[in-house]
Amino acid sequence: MQPKFVSIVGAGGKTTALRALARALASCRVLVTTTTHIFPVPPSDCRTVLLDPTPSALLGQLRLSGAVCAGQSAENGKLCTLSPALLTQAAAAADIALCEADGAHCLPLKLHRSDEPVLSLQTDLCLIVAGLSALGRPIRDAVHRYALCPDWAQNPHQTVGIPELLYCVRETVAACGLPKEKLRVLLNQADTPALTELAEPAAQALVEDGLDCRIGSLHAEPALLHRWIYAE
């Protein structure tokens, strides 16, 4: 059965993933929202943006085809989560809900505090994104909340390699606390053949963990997620 409520977590392309799915699903009634904070999704990817919507306004928009980005007003022009009751109502009214459920401060990898990610109980599928642009960079410059790993806190100049990438993905899997059949892992930012080849051992290790994992580039192949999640 195709997932109705998709949460997107991790780093290195969450917002790109959200926007790509919103565009690809434009013939459906799609709710685009967050349980943390996001910038409003632009008109090129969403039919409308609703700030601080009333239930009647949001549910009315979700009777029409196209993506509706909705949330409460937050600082710096961002949106934050709808009330739990309105999120439940809106997700039920939509054909599909897409929810960014994590924050990474624009870095390609991240570790999680005990209160992260913020997954809705309605989540049918959780997409974990990890950015391959982290490879070869110092941990302190590539991993959000790197100091949550004691070894990395002591050696933040250490370079990110495949073991560090796997550590972040596996930590995210554990933080989600979902059955593996509800998880997908995208090793994103494979923008060159060399990066794709470099990431193959990581993808194989995650498959051996029992995870559905792919290597790709959402910039080069924005339809990747729609085919993987909804068309296959």
Side-chain angles (χ1 to χ4, degrees):
M1 185 173 66
Q2 293 183 332
K4 180 179 173 66
F5 196 108
V6 178
S7 293
I8 304 174
V9 304
K14 290 193 309 296
T15 301
T16 302
L18 189 80
R19 293 174 60 175
L21 281 171
R23 285 195 305 273
L25 294 164
S27 62
C28 303
R29 299 171 301 154
V30 181
L31 170 67
V32 176
T33 191
T34 182
T35 51
T36 55
H37 294 85
I38 58 169
F39 283 106
V41 176
S44 58
D45 302 318
C46 271
R47 176 171 53 77
T48 189
V49 175
L50 297 180
L51 304 178
D52 306 316
T54 63
S56 61
L58 179 52
L59 298 178
Q61 286 292 332
L62 288 172
R63 295 189 185 100
L64 308 173
S65 297
V68 176
C69 180
Q72 297 295 317
S73 300
E75 294 181 352
N76 302 317
K78 289 188 174 184
L79 303 179
C80 64
T81 186
L82 299 165
S83 70
L86 185 52
L87 178 59
T88 297
Q89 284 182 283
D95 296 321
I96 295 167
L98 306 174
C99 182
E100 190 167 319
D102 216 349
H105 285 209
C106 298
L107 293 176
L109 295 173
K110 79 163 290 181
L111 299 180
H112 295 81
R113 299 180 314 213
S114 60
D115 59 345
E116 298 175 307
V118 186
L119 293 181
S120 167
L121 294 176
Q122 302 170 82
T123 299
D124 299 306
L125 184 143
C126 183
L127 173 67
I128 296 171
V129 183
L132 296 175
S133 67
L135 296 173
R137 295 168 59 183
I139 281 175
R140 69 174 188 176
D141 297 334
V143 183
H144 183 45
R145 305 200 198 286
Y146 70 87
L148 291 173
C149 173
D151 289 344
W152 295 356
Q154 293 182 9
N155 188 15
H157 300 286
Q158 178 182 335
T159 299
V160 175
I162 295 301
E164 290 73 28
L165 174 70
L166 284 170
Y167 182 93
C168 289
V169 173
R170 287 166 170 158
E171 186 270 355
T172 304
V173 168
C176 288
L178 293 173
K180 289 180 180 178
E181 59 267 23
K182 286 193 171 188
L183 300 173
R184 303 277 179 100
V185 179
L186 175 65
L187 302 182
N188 189 35
Q189 301 173 338
D191 298 327
T192 66
L195 270 175
T196 300
E197 184 177 358
L198 189 61
E200 285 174 356
Q204 182 59 40
L206 293 169
V207 169
E208 291 172 0
D209 287 349
L211 296 163
D212 190 345
C213 176
R214 297 197 182 181
I215 304 167
S217 168
L218 290 175
H219 285 298
E221 195 180 1
L224 164 67
L225 290 177
H226 181 255
R227 289 199 307 270
W228 184 19
I229 295 174
Y230 288 102
E232 291 186 359

